[in-house]
Amino acid sequence: MTEVIVSGSSNGWVRDILLKLWDPIGGVPEGEYDTYIPGILRMMDTSDSRGLANHLLEIERSAMCLPVPSRERAQRTAEALFAARHFDDR
């Protein structure tokens, strides 16, 4: 399992999770997915992990034009994001 360190601003821990667990393109530079962070944080305020996973899948399909998005990867990432936010809120 990939270790994700939760520290710093929301952008920092969300970026870490996106790069280490989601990364549908693979091997991108740090900051590659930063434009998606505000929408992900908004989605986390109004949805659950399933809704967030669907949002990540939609990003893969629409914004990245990936032909076969991974539901398992998106769900695992969504769950990690919610868990990290809970930890960060302490």
Side-chain angles (χ1 to χ4, degrees), residues 11-81:
N11 284 4
W13 59 261
V14 173
R15 177 187 299 121
D16 287 347
I17 291 171
L18 293 179
L19 288 171
K20 292 177 182 169
L21 295 180
W22 185 49
D23 194 16
I25 296 172
V28 298
E30 186 173 316
E32 179 71 21
Y33 303 129
D34 284 5
T35 57
Y36 305 118
I37 293 174
I40 287 169
L41 291 171
R42 280 191 302 274
M43 177 67 72
M44 291 176 72
D45 287 337
T46 61
S47 190
D48 58 9
S49 64
R50 184 180 179 115
L52 181 57
N54 288 334
H55 178 70
L56 294 172
L57 289 169
E58 185 59 29
I59 291 171
E60 290 184 39
R61 276 192 293 272
S62 297
M64 298 178 184
C65 301
L66 298 178
V68 185
S70 168
R71 176 162 288 286
E72 180 182 330
R73 179 182 56 226
Q75 187 63 47
R76 183 177 61 243
T77 302
E79 290 169 6
L81 286 164

